[in-house]
Amino acid sequence: MTDFAPASMSFEPGAAGPKGSIPLCVPHIAGNEWEYVKECLDTNWVSSVGPFVDRFESSVADFVGAQFGVATSSGTAALHIALLAAGIQPDDEVLVSDLTFIAPANAIRYIGAWPILIDAEPNYWQMDVQKLSDFLTTGCEWTNRSLINRNTGRRVTAILPVHILGHPVDMDPLLELARRFDLRVIEDATESLGAKYKGRPAGHLGDIGCFSFNGNKIITAGGGGMIVTDNQEYAARAKYLSTQAKDDSIEYIHNEVGFNYRLTNVQAAIGCAQMELLPTFIERKRHIASSYSKLLENVGGLTTMPRADWADPVYWLYTILTDASSRDCMRKLAKKSIQARPLWQPLHLSPVYESIQVEGGNVAEDLNKRALSLPSSVSLTDVEIEEIVSAIIS
Ligand SMILES: *Cc1c(COP(=O)(O)O)cnc(C)c1O
């Protein structure tokens, strides 16, 4: 990226961007947000407890059919707390997608555990479950009832699949591997609230699911995250650790190191209003995706976004594959004030994680070179979609 600042800097989520420009993905405030925030201000419930926090937790949990929801200050905090709640220990290894935003790998490092990177599969760009299986069956062995990575000698204890771009990972074979090898499954569903895998909601397929309510996600709370789970012990542990691990709130007794990962009532108020809009947001995202696919279908030099048979995606960011350079295309679109963005640098190429073990990696590298995400805000109009498509064609 040369003449174009990193996407996140040129158009902060929430900022409209330069006048007349089309941003990648910005929030859409269209319901009871004002009313609920005003209620917080009027009642003085502005901080980290309050009725909207509880309501937000139950509305997200209910939406995915989970028994418990625990709100956190960000999606990254949700991932950190999920790993702790699931009992992942320092020096354990966690199998995570190679092609993802960096947050899940960082969360693994926060607890002193190590990521093992699993390449994407070329068809739908999600974690390659065959490579995961190959690693578990040939790269690991059982020693004293622990699953040990032969290469590092460390214990492998969890899988962290990331449902990227609003499309689910092939979870049934992954869950079967998890059962066979006694691994916890923590889903990073931060880009996939509302997506389904064979009719089941993403984020409610493994042991714990994590969501983000950052400004560029499916819905926003300004910022924030949540874990959802059916496991009462995990939920209680997540609540405890995310609220400073307080064992006695009068005497201030703490038996463990906790975190201040609480969501405020004001943020939750925005989140509650956005949850009411979620069904229409999902409908709109799907409409945007099918419009792009229809208009780009017969355009040479590019491939439209794929969808697996098992998936009802939410199309967080509609993404195409270019035969030529995606960076070139991105720069040309930027000149027409249209913000597009390549996919993330695969984690095995990231300077922070270059010494980390990776299974495969070529597919993620190829996708990083060729994929380009197009504007996908819920507020994107049909006229803007046509404008973007003709800019791409030209
Ligand atoms: C956005 C995102 C996160 C982190 O969410 P924050 O709320 O920004 O901390 C984690 N994982 C993935 C894959 C993401 O896209």
Side-chain angles (χ1 to χ4, degrees):
M1 278 181 247
T2 50
D3 60 333
F4 196 70
S8 58
M9 283 169 65
S10 47
F11 291 88
E12 272 303 321
K19 202 167 169 348
S21 65
I22 305 178
L24 188 71
C25 194
V26 290
H28 186 52
I29 306 298
N32 289 319
E33 292 88 348
W34 280 99
E35 188 189 322
Y36 293 170
V37 169
K38 184 170 186 305
E39 196 176 315
C40 297
L41 302 177
D42 287 344
T43 58
N44 212 29
W45 286 101
V46 292
S47 196
S48 49
V49 284
F52 283 114
V53 176
D54 299 336
R55 195 162 129 193
F56 190 39
E57 288 176 338
S58 46
S59 80
V60 175
D62 288 350
F63 180 79
V64 299
Q67 285 193 48
F68 308 99
V70 177
T72 57
S73 51
S74 71
T76 310
L79 288 160
H80 183 191
I81 283 297
L83 289 159
L84 287 168
I88 311 309
Q89 300 293 316
D91 262 341
D92 282 2
E93 288 183 342
V94 178
L95 306 168
V96 67
S97 306
D98 184 30
L99 184 65
T100 171
F101 180 57
I102 200 167
N106 287 348
I108 293 164
R109 290 299 299 132
Y110 295 168
I111 67 171
W114 298 94
I116 298 287
L117 307 171
I118 309 292
D119 201 358
E121 38 78 14
N123 297 329
Y124 314 109
W125 317 341
Q126 307 298 322
M127 178 188 266
D128 188 332
V129 180
Q130 188 55 51
K131 287 200 176 105
L132 179 75
S133 170
D134 292 346
F135 170 73
L136 289 168
T137 47
T138 63
C140 297
E141 65 192 359
W142 290 99
T143 307
N144 299 330
R145 279 198 245 135
S146 288
L147 186 71
I148 302 294
N149 176 352
R150 291 180 207 267
N151 183 34
T152 60
R154 295 192 191 113
R155 223 159 61 107
V156 179
T157 52
I159 312 173
L160 203 170
V162 184
H163 308 295
I164 65 166
L165 303 170
H167 187 292
V169 173
D170 189 7
M171 288 297 285
D172 277 346
L174 184 148
L175 291 168
E176 182 50 39
L177 287 165
R179 264 189 297 273
R180 217 171 106 203
F181 291 95
D182 190 25
L183 303 168
R184 306 289 79 70
V185 176
I186 293 143
E187 295 173 78
D188 182 334
T190 52
E191 300 178 2
S192 295
L193 177 63
K196 286 187 176 164
Y197 173 79
K198 298 184 183 173
R200 287 130 64 199
H204 190 227
L205 299 160
D207 296 298
I208 307 183
C210 302
F211 293 107
S212 164
F213 309 109
N214 187 32
N216 63 356
K217 294 304 202 296
I218 307 279
I219 64 160
T220 189
M226 195 173 300
I227 68 127
V228 294
T229 182
D230 288 340
N231 185 315
Q232 186 163 16
E233 192 190 319
Y234 290 170
R237 189 94 187 115
K239 190 80 184 174
Y240 173 73
L241 289 171
S242 62
T243 55
Q244 303 281 29
K246 205 184 284 175
D247 289 299
D248 184 315
S249 55
I250 292 166
E251 302 298 337
Y252 284 92
I253 293 164
H254 303 263
N255 288 296
E256 281 185 70
V257 176
F259 303 86
N260 178 4
Y261 278 167
R262 294 170 303 181
L263 188 75
T264 69
N265 201 47
V266 178
Q267 289 171 305
I270 299 171
C272 284
Q274 291 262 297
M275 276 306 287
E276 295 168 358
L277 298 169
L278 179 56
T280 60
F281 283 12
I282 293 168
E283 214 174 285
R284 189 68 205 164
K285 289 275 197 193
R286 288 184 178 150
H287 169 79
I288 291 168
S290 73
S291 302
Y292 273 132
S293 288
K294 199 152 33 150
L295 295 168
L296 292 170
E297 193 170 50
N298 297 315
V299 177
L302 61 83
T303 313
T304 56
M305 191 168 189
R307 179 184 75 82
D309 283 347
W310 65 70
D312 288 312
V314 274
Y315 299 100
W316 172 53
L317 293 179
Y318 186 85
T319 303
I320 56 171
L321 285 190
T322 58
D323 291 350
S325 159
S326 60
R327 305 322 190 258
D328 229 36
C329 188
M330 176 186 78
R331 277 189 288 271
K332 284 178 182 151
L333 290 173
K335 290 216 174 77
K336 298 187 172 181
S337 300
I338 296 165
Q339 189 192 22
R341 187 178 79 178
L343 289 186
W344 318 274
Q345 179 177 53
L347 293 180
H348 73 273
L349 296 181
S350 171
V352 239
Y353 290 118
E354 63 190 0
S355 61
I356 291 294
Q357 183 175 341
V358 58
E359 295 302 308
N362 294 339
V363 176
E365 286 182 31
D366 181 58
L367 291 168
N368 169 252
K369 285 197 191 90
R370 295 171 55 216
L372 192 69
S373 298
L374 303 179
S376 302
S377 305
V378 164
S379 52
L380 192 70
T381 65
D382 290 350
V383 173
E384 286 173 321
I385 295 172
E386 282 170 25
E387 195 183 314
I388 295 159
V389 167
S390 46
I392 291 168
I393 292 169
S394 76

